[in-house]
Amino acid sequence: MAAGGSTQQRRREMAAASAAAISGAGRCRLSKIGATRRPPPARVRVAVRLRPFVDGTAGASDPPCVRGMDSCSLEIANWRNHQETLKYQFDAFYGERSTQQDIYAGSVQPILRHLLEGQNASVLAYGPTGAGKTHTMLGSPEQPGVIPRALMDLLQLTREEGAEGRPWALSVTMSYLEIYQEKVLDLLDPASGDLVIREDCRGNILIPGLSQKPISSFADFERHFLPASRNRTVGATRLNQRSSRSHAVLLVKVDQRERLAPFRQREGKLYLIDLAGSEDNRRTGNKGLRLKESGAINTSLFVLGKVVDALNQGLPRVPYRDSKLTRLLQDSLGGSAHSILIANIAPERRFYLDTVSALNFAARSKEVINRPFTNESLQPHALGPVKLSQKELLGPPEAKRARGPEEEEIGSPEPMAAPASASQKLSPLQKLSSMDPAMLERLLSLDRLLASQGSQGAPLLSTPKRERMVLMKTVEEKDLEIERLKTKQKELEAKMLAQKAEEKENHCPTMLRPLSHRTVTGAKPLKKAVVMPLQLIQEQAASPNAEIHILKNKGRKRKLESLDALEPEEKAEDCWELQISPELLAHGRQKILDLLNEGSARDLRSLQRIGPKKAQLIVGWRELHGPFSQANILGLAAGQRCGAS
């Protein structure tokens, strides 16, 4: 890159091209942090490049299917009606005779200025395989492409803007990766393996673990880029001997740090993307691994078309996450970047369908709206040593003699205490040692800033004695109040722990006492009354050591008591007794007996404790031995009493 007049001329050309490219759109200087209004839109700009015939003599016998009309429009034959043509209009059209410099200066160079404003930019090369995408982006040593030209100009701009005496200090870093079969691979460090794509809290796309190389000159860029470009996956097909089998992305970051207050920081990203071309496997003859690579490429490009359609239609969900490529291009399409799409097409008629598909995608892409903003944040500046004034370095007697007449008139509300140590003598913030370190750091930074302004402002720490003493007294009162509250909180916590321990001691012995001596102060639990058959009660009462729990009626209260069978009969008079009518009992027995003698196996299953197996046994026993003579109704299964009857 030449210096002197050529540099000034190039800068003037760049400024003129930038003004022509962004006329009417304006520049966005909106910071993402603290933004109160939506950033202005910026449409994706589309340029179409028509490469010449691969064989120079082929144009005479086979005329091209695409023809340029002017610098922004072109026409292509209509395959449905050969008498008509399809017309397309884009932001720029570059014919067969266009050079690499024409494409770079007309479409790519104007967006480099946005990087110095803290905004993102991206350049995408799109088109079918063999259409010249890699040549447009990389070029050759004789005809450099977009990537070397953009890096050369960008490094020159950063050197000029970051020179000594300018308000900003700039640094440039680069990363280079490829997306091969839905895997993100670092070309600067091939051994890193498949990387993941993440999104931070502010919506920025990032790749953790991706290598970043600092570059300060074009020689540094070549030293890193040339070996990494050889790591990109390429393969031979029928249409191209070195066909790109992956999507290559060169990421260039421009970090800016303000040298003076308020010490802002900006970050601009430039994406230079060489997409792999869509392939028709019938013409390329792909087999095996090449066929698998072609499928992955076509799938990612199909998802890219779906993303563009969703953005144009305003759908609520944009399928960015359906592909690694679209996830990485989330900032470039419908995001926060100034995007340029360079659609490469071929003139041969055998590429007609691929050319029409590329032109339709380019026409849809130019309707996508991005909203660029300035990635700006405030960063704490590195604090230097605090410079103390002469009054602060002197002791109390010397400081009193060094005071001005204004401070002599202002009396002190209380005498200043003598310093206890040398550190207290040197620091005017001796009473603020308990302050938060971050707050103290900001206070010192503000004091140094005000001191550097001279007559525009007075240093904060050089205030008169009365105001300084009032400030220190207020801080001391706040500290005492905080200590008092902490002490009170500890007392309350100790009191609560003591109460819990006392409650625990009181409750533990109560739970271990016998049930008869336990005193229940709360609501009594509900007691269940069990109705037992009269025959079972009589059998238990007949046993000498039996203990029966029955319901005893005492007014409106019910109480469970243990009655011994040997107690006097007058105590048992108040008990609830279970009495069953003999007629009802005889009727029930007769009904069960009729069912046993006449019922089927299905009817017998309705009896208690009789399942399918017992029902079949009862029916079989009845056929062998005749009808039953009696039945038990007091809870025993009829099948268990068959032998007794």
Side-chain angles (χ1 to χ4, degrees):
M1 174 82 59
S6 60
T7 303
Q8 298 296 331
Q9 183 178 2
R10 184 178 293 103
R11 293 185 61 184
R12 287 194 297 269
E13 293 176 357
M14 184 184 300
S18 176
I22 61 174
S23 58
R27 294 184 179 179
C28 175
R29 288 185 177 272
L30 178 67
S31 175
K32 189 168 186 181
I33 300 177
T36 58
R37 60 185 178 89
R38 202 174 184 187
R43 182 176 54 83
V44 175
R45 300 179 60 82
V46 178
V48 177
R49 183 182 189 183
L50 177 64
R51 70 160 173 79
F53 280 89
V54 176
D55 187 4
T57 61
S61 59
D62 187 12
C65 61
V66 181
R67 183 174 65 89
M69 301 178 64
D70 53 31
S71 61
C72 295
S73 59
L74 58 92
E75 63 179 359
I76 185 173
N78 188 359
W79 63 277
R80 291 189 178 91
N81 187 357
H82 296 286
Q83 303 298 326
E84 298 178 354
T85 58
L86 301 176
K87 295 181 175 60
Y88 293 88
Q89 187 171 5
F90 301 100
D91 296 291
F93 172 72
Y94 302 98
E96 301 175 359
R97 298 183 178 180
S98 60
T99 62
Q100 300 277 56
Q101 176 63 23
D102 297 337
I103 298 171
Y104 170 73
S107 298
V108 180
Q109 193 179 33
I111 69 173
L112 298 181
R113 273 289 172 183
H114 297 297
L115 299 174
L116 303 182
E117 298 174 357
Q119 300 179 5
N120 299 337
S122 61
V123 180
L124 297 88
Y126 180 88
T129 181
K133 300 181 297 299
T134 304
H135 177 72
T136 300
M137 298 302 292
L138 294 180
S140 61
E142 297 78 15
Q143 298 179 357
V146 170
I147 291 179
R149 294 175 185 269
L151 264 297
M152 191 176 297
D153 285 354
L154 182 61
L155 291 172
Q156 179 65 24
L157 286 175
T158 55
R159 280 195 297 268
E160 294 175 358
E161 295 294 332
E164 293 293 336
R166 305 301 293 268
W168 295 88
L170 286 81
S171 62
V172 182
T173 59
M174 62 164 287
S175 302
Y176 197 27
L177 62 95
E178 70 172 354
I179 302 177
Y180 176 70
Q181 295 188 13
E182 289 301 305
K183 295 181 180 179
V184 180
L185 304 177
D186 189 355
L187 295 178
L188 294 174
D189 185 13
S192 60
D194 187 14
L195 302 177
V196 295
I197 302 177
R198 294 284 184 255
E199 183 177 354
D200 63 6
C201 59
R202 296 184 294 176
N204 298 321
I205 301 299
L206 51 91
I207 303 177
L210 183 63
S211 301
Q212 294 186 9
K213 302 295 184 180
I215 53 176
S216 58
S217 63
F218 190 75
D220 295 340
F221 167 72
E222 287 183 329
R223 185 173 66 256
H224 298 300
F225 181 77
L226 294 180
S229 61
R230 301 189 189 100
N231 296 328
R232 185 182 179 186
T233 306
V234 295
T237 63
R238 291 180 181 177
L239 300 179
N240 193 353
Q241 292 298 322
R242 287 185 56 84
S243 176
S244 301
R245 314 311 297 167
S246 63
H247 308 293
V249 180
L250 175 63
L251 173 59
V252 182
K253 289 185 180 181
V254 180
D255 293 325
Q256 305 178 65
R257 297 179 183 272
E258 198 171 14
R259 291 191 171 99
L260 301 177
F263 310 111
R264 293 172 296 175
Q265 182 178 0
R266 293 177 179 175
E267 182 185 64
K269 298 180 182 179
L270 175 63
Y271 294 90
L272 299 171
I273 305 167
D274 181 14
L275 299 176
S278 58
E279 296 182 344
D280 187 352
N281 295 314
R282 294 171 296 183
R283 292 201 306 267
T284 57
N286 292 332
K287 295 180 181 179
L289 180 60
R290 293 289 175 265
L291 185 62
K292 185 178 180 180
E293 294 170 350
S294 176
I297 293 171
N298 291 337
T299 300
S300 61
L301 294 178
F302 175 71
V303 176
L304 181 61
K306 289 173 57 179
V307 167
V308 172
D309 293 339
L311 291 173
N312 290 334
Q313 298 173 15
L315 299 181
R317 179 186 179 274
V318 182
Y320 288 117
R321 297 177 181 267
D322 292 356
S323 172
K324 295 290 184 65
L325 175 63
T326 53
R327 180 64 167 158
L328 191 61
L329 297 181
Q330 187 169 344
D331 285 342
S332 303
L333 296 175
S336 59
H338 296 270
S339 298
I340 303 293
L341 176 66
I342 303 177
N344 295 263
I345 57 177
E348 291 86 359
R349 287 187 176 273
R350 65 178 183 273
F351 295 109
Y352 175 80
L353 295 179
D354 294 333
T355 300
V356 172
S357 177
L359 291 176
N360 290 335
F361 175 80
R364 299 196 309 271
S365 299
K366 73 175 184 178
E367 304 299 329
V368 176
I369 300 299
N370 293 350
R371 295 189 177 274
F373 55 81
T374 299
N375 297 300
E376 184 176 291
S377 61
L378 293 177
Q379 296 293 334
H381 189 65
L383 295 176
V386 180
K387 296 182 179 180
L388 302 178
S389 62
Q390 183 180 3
K391 300 177 185 179
E392 296 164 352
L393 293 175
L394 298 176
E398 292 82 2
K400 184 176 181 180
R401 290 194 296 269
R403 279 190 306 181
E406 295 82 8
E407 296 185 11
E408 285 290 344
E409 297 176 358
I410 303 176
S412 176
E414 58 183 20
M416 177 179 288
S421 62
S423 60
Q424 293 179 351
K425 183 186 301 183
L426 295 177
S427 176
L429 296 177
Q430 52 185 348
K431 300 296 184 180
L432 306 181
S433 58
S434 60
M435 183 180 290
D436 185 12
M439 184 65 67
L440 181 60
E441 185 179 3
R442 293 180 61 185
L443 182 61
L444 293 175
S445 176
L446 180 61
D447 178 65
R448 187 175 61 258
L449 174 63
L450 294 176
S452 64
Q453 294 179 356
S455 59
Q456 298 180 0
L460 180 65
L461 302 183
S462 298
T463 54
K465 183 177 180 181
R466 176 177 295 179
E467 284 77 2
R468 186 164 62 251
M469 295 301 299
V470 170
L471 176 62
M472 293 181 180
K473 186 176 180 180
T474 304
V475 173
E476 288 180 356
E477 292 176 355
K478 296 296 182 182
D479 292 341
L480 292 176
E481 181 69 16
I482 292 174
E483 293 296 332
R484 187 182 64 81
L485 292 177
K486 287 182 179 179
T487 305
K488 187 175 181 181
Q489 181 182 3
K490 291 180 180 179
E491 293 176 356
L492 292 176
E493 291 178 355
K495 186 177 180 180
M496 292 296 297
L497 292 176
Q499 290 181 357
K500 289 182 179 180
E502 184 179 358
E503 292 177 358
K504 191 174 181 180
E505 292 176 358
N506 294 337
H507 284 297
C508 289
T510 305
M511 296 176 65
L512 297 176
R513 292 174 185 173
L515 185 62
S516 58
H517 299 284
R518 184 178 178 183
T519 304
V520 181
T521 57
K524 296 182 178 180
L526 296 178
K527 299 179 180 179
K528 297 182 180 179
V530 180
V531 180
M532 303 177 63
L534 181 60
Q535 182 179 357
L536 184 60
I537 295 177
Q538 293 174 355
E539 292 177 357
Q540 293 181 1
S543 61
N545 297 326
E547 195 176 66
I548 309 171
H549 296 278
I550 63 176
L551 289 174
K552 184 177 181 181
N553 184 13
K554 276 191 175 182
R556 297 183 179 180
K557 298 182 180 179
R558 293 185 177 182
K559 184 178 180 183
L560 279 174
E561 291 186 358
S562 298
L563 299 179
D564 198 312
L566 301 178
E567 289 183 356
E569 296 181 358
E570 58 270 9
K571 290 187 178 181
E573 293 178 357
D574 295 335
C575 296
W576 294 91
E577 295 183 357
L578 180 63
Q579 298 180 358
I580 301 177
S581 176
E583 295 81 3
L584 182 60
L585 185 60
H587 178 71
R589 287 177 176 174
Q590 184 62 34
K591 187 175 180 180
I592 293 177
L593 186 61
D594 296 340
L595 184 60
L596 291 173
N597 294 330
E598 300 176 0
S600 60
R602 184 175 181 181
D603 297 335
L604 291 173
R605 291 172 59 183
S606 63
L607 294 175
Q608 185 182 9
R609 299 183 183 178
I610 294 183
K613 187 174 180 180
K614 288 186 178 181
Q616 295 294 336
L617 292 175
I618 292 172
V619 173
W621 193 93
R622 187 177 62 192
E623 293 177 356
L624 293 176
H625 303 283
F628 296 93
S629 60
Q630 63 180 0
N632 187 3
I633 198 174
L634 295 177
L636 298 178
Q640 297 174 353
R641 292 291 184 179
C642 291
S645 61

